[in-house]
């Protein structure tokens, strides 16, 4: 097979799709970015020799955000109102409903859920 895409993105968390995404890239410089979350640890379905033709696989967590160096500035921007977080919060629940929060995420009914823990902080 000749040709292929420069970049492919695997967003499903399915190792079979990962293999197809990887093989769809151009030999010599194609790059596959893993974005999907895998429900259980899986072995990559690739033969090591398939990596010798110049294709690469890389993972992306938080879109490449670097918490140690970038989080302090991001927190300041949020506190000053430069970055608006409210549109990304789809649910707010008390901490004791943490299992419900996870279920909302699994069911695709929540993007971000804030858990209220204020009663645990009282002295």
């Amino acid at each position: 097979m000749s040709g292929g895409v420069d970049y492919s993105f695997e967003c499903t968390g399915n190792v079979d799709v990962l293999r197809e995404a990887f093989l769809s890239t151009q030999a010599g410089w194609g790059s596959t970015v893993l974005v999907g979350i895998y429900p259980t640890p899986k072995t990559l379905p690739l033969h090591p020799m398939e990596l010798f033709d110049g294709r690469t696989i890389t993972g992306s967590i938080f879109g490449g955000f670097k918490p140690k160096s970038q989080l302090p500035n991001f927190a300041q921007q949020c506190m000053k109102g430069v970055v608006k977080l409210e549109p990304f919060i789809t649910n707010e629940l008390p901490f004791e409903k943490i299992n419900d929060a996870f279920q909302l995420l699994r069911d695709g009914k929540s993007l971000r859920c804030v858990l209220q823990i204020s009663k645990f902080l009282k002295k």
Side-chain angles (χ1 to χ4, degrees):
M1 178 178 136
S2 64
V5 298
D6 292 339
Y7 297 95
S8 67
F9 298 86
E10 195 293 299
C11 306
T12 66
N14 181 314
V15 292
D16 295 324
V17 175
L18 165 61
R19 178 165 179 74
E20 293 303 317
F22 176 75
L23 293 176
S24 74
T25 61
Q26 174 67 45
W29 62 79
S31 182
T32 299
V33 180
L34 280 83
V35 182
I37 303 289
Y38 293 82
T40 58
K42 300 279 185 177
T43 302
L44 292 177
L46 302 171
H47 189 283
M49 293 302 293
E50 292 175 317
L51 295 169
F52 285 107
D53 69 356
R55 291 178 173 125
T56 61
I57 296 178
T58 188
S60 176
I61 190 160
F62 304 122
F65 184 80
K66 296 169 184 65
K68 188 174 182 178
S69 61
Q70 294 175 320
L71 189 57
N73 183 46
F74 182 70
Q76 286 179 346
Q77 289 179 328
C78 292
M79 293 173 69
K80 291 177 182 175
V82 175
V83 175
K84 307 278 188 221
L85 294 179
E86 291 78 15
F88 298 100
I89 299 170
T90 52
N91 299 87
E92 290 190 42
L93 296 172
F95 185 79
E96 56 270 10
K97 293 196 174 203
I98 189 169
N99 292 332
D100 294 341
F102 278 114
Q103 193 60 50
L104 286 168
L105 290 169
R106 282 188 211 102
D107 293 343
K109 296 179 180 175
S110 179
L111 178 63
R112 296 284 185 274
C113 185
V114 172
L115 296 173
Q116 301 293 338
I117 60 170
S118 58
K119 82 174 199 176
F120 294 101
L121 298 176
K122 293 179 183 175
K123 294 182 179 184

